[in-house]
Structures are given as C-alpha cells and as structure tokens.
Amino acid sequence: MAQSTSSFKKETMGGRMFTIVNTTLLALIALICLFPFVNVFASSFASTQEVVEKKFVLFPTTFSLDAYRFILSTPTIFRALGVSVGVTVAGTVFSMILTALMAYGLSRKYLAGRDFINFVVVFSMLFSGGMIPTFLVVKMFGLIDSYGSMIIPSAINAFNLIIMRNFFQALPEGLEESAKIDGSNDFGVLIKIMLPLALPSIATLSLFYGVAYWNTYMTAVLYINDSVRWPIQVLLRQIVIVSSGMQGDNASVDIIPPAQTIKMAVIVVATVPMLVAYPFVQKHFTKGAMLGAVKG
C-alpha cells in the first residue's frame, strides 16, 4: 500500500511538471498567434497617424471611431456583408445536402461501382483540372457574374465527404436493416436514423464549409465582374489596393487613401461573424471530426 502511494506521488509530481511546462509553452505560442489579431483590433480604433508612425499598435493612445463611422455610413460594406452571408448560408446548406447524400450512398457496400467512385473522390483530392478548365466550365454553364459561381464549383469537398462517409460506415448495419424491416426506404433511413445520429459530424462539416464560403475570394475574383456582387473578402482586397495607393477600381470603393484604420476595421468586421458562430459548434468539433476519421 505504501509503495503504491509513493509511486502515485512520483507520477503526480512528473505529471505536474509536464503540465506546467506544457501549459507554459502552449500559452507562449497562443500569445504569439494572438498578437496579430490584437494589433488589427487595436489599430482599427487608433488614428491613422498613429498606425502609420508606430507600425505595430497593441494599445492605441488616441482612441478613435472614425473608421467604424465611415464603414457604417456607406452601404458598400453592408452590401458585401450581405453577399457573404447569403453565399455562406446557401452554400453551406447546399454543400451539406449533397455531401450527406453522396456520403451515405458511398458508405453502403451494396452500391454498384462504389469502389470506383471512392477512387475518383480520392483522386480529385490529389489532381484537378486547374484554373482555366474550371473557368471554361463555369462560363459554359452561364454562371459568370452569378452567385452560383461561388457555390456550385466548390459544392462538395472531397475531404469532408470522406469524413462523413466514414462516419456512416462506422454506424451499425443493424440500424438500417431494422428500419427497412419496418418498411422504410433508403431516404427514410437517411433522414430519420442516420442524420440524427450524425449531428456532431454535420455540425463540424458545416463549420468547415461555412468558413470556406465566408472566405470565398479566388472564385469571386475569377467569376464575378460586377462589384455589386462582390463578397466581403474581395471588397477587403479592393480597399487594401486603393488605400495603398495602387491602381484599383476606385469607383467601387469610396475610400480616401491612406485609410489604414479603415483597412483594419474592415478586417475586424469580416472576422467577427465567424468568431461569433464558432463557439456554437466548438463542442461538436472534436467529436464530429474523430468519429469520421477512425475507419477507412
């Protein structure tokens, strides 16, 4: 009894030392990662002169709301935010529907051609047609200058599809068999049994898709010519170009250079929605990702 107590104390001391060192290192890394965000947030409330002179601001000496007043006084930001919100919501719902349908089908062993389709999915993760062929396909379907061009080409992510497929494969086959004995078809099994059990995975993948659609940039630059349909990320790029004195579409961004604080304020506005949404799905994040990653 005394020996086990002594070994327990030794393990406890070693564990405590590991916890202290680990916590210290992780805290330092977290602070290093946090500095850029604090700088952007603080710079958005500082004066333009202070941002230009100090280059790096953690605590503004001159508190100013001029950048946010300007943003709230122009409809450009709200229009771009509305486009981003619409694309994110519609794209996430559309992607999750397609991903769930395809993942459930590929998880069934009796599906004809299942192995070949799985191979094509994995192959698409390694090789793609490229920017020009994709642009030609989008143009052929008449999606140029449409919101669909920011959603349809990236509707299904192969990695997310594999995670959900593996999750469905990990569920007991008896669930499907018992439901079909009761007279349910494949769609009934998916909607009434599989999807309710897959809520952690759905929440996690919805976060992945939502962040991807919110950060839509390259597809919008390639396929959207009308500045009215620009999402917030493309507008942010234009603001950076104009406020840096470079050549840009000044007519689409009513900003007077050098609007350094306005750049920072727009970054904050573009980041806050994702920061607000993340805590609601954080509790499902680890569970949903691990559940679909155990079985291949």
Side-chain angles (χ1 to χ4, degrees), residues 32-152:
I32 293 173
C33 296
L34 189 63
F35 272 139
F37 294 97
V38 176
N39 171 243
V40 170
F41 184 77
S43 298
S44 67
F45 290 100
S47 62
T48 301
Q49 183 179 359
E50 183 178 0
V51 173
V52 173
E53 291 178 353
K54 287 188 176 181
K55 300 296 183 181
F56 194 85
V57 179
L58 288 180
F59 302 99
T61 56
T62 305
F63 188 83
S64 175
L65 293 175
D66 292 341
Y68 290 97
R69 289 194 187 98
F70 179 85
I71 290 176
L72 297 177
S73 67
T74 175
T76 306
I77 299 293
F78 292 102
R79 184 175 65 232
L81 282 173
V83 171
S84 290
V85 170
V87 170
T88 300
V89 174
T92 301
V93 173
F94 183 65
S95 294
M96 284 307 306
I97 291 175
L98 295 183
T99 301
L101 291 174
M102 189 172 180
Y104 178 68
L106 293 178
S107 68
R108 303 301 93 184
K109 296 180 180 179
Y110 52 80
L111 177 68
R114 172 175 174 264
D115 293 337
F116 175 75
I117 298 175
N118 280 322
F119 170 77
V120 172
V121 171
V122 175
F123 185 84
S124 67
M125 295 176 63
L126 305 176
F127 304 96
S128 64
M131 183 185 299
I132 296 177
T134 305
F135 178 85
L136 294 177
V137 171
V138 171
K139 184 178 180 181
M140 181 180 65
F141 281 97
L143 295 175
I144 299 296
D145 262 342
S146 69
Y147 297 121
S149 64
M150 293 183 280
I151 298 175
I152 297 176

Side-chain angles (χ1 to χ4, degrees), residues 161-235:
L161 174 65
I162 292 174
I163 289 179
M164 180 157 276
R165 182 206 65 187
N166 292 344
F167 177 85
F168 286 138
Q169 284 180 345
L171 295 177
E173 296 181 1
L175 293 174
E176 181 182 5
E177 295 174 357
S178 61
K180 288 188 175 181
I181 291 175
D182 292 337
S184 181
N185 55 20
D186 289 324
F187 280 102
V189 173
L190 174 63
I191 295 174
K192 296 179 181 179
I193 297 178
M194 299 300 180
L195 290 184
L197 294 175
L199 286 180
S201 182
I202 291 174
T204 303
L205 298 186
S206 297
L207 176 64
F208 289 167
Y209 278 123
V211 171
Y213 281 117
W214 182 262
N215 292 328
T216 295
Y217 170 74
M218 185 56 67
T219 54
V221 171
L222 291 174
Y223 309 136
I224 304 297
N225 300 317
D226 188 0
S227 60
V228 176
R229 294 183 173 88
W230 280 353
I232 187 64
Q233 306 301 337
V234 179
L235 180 64

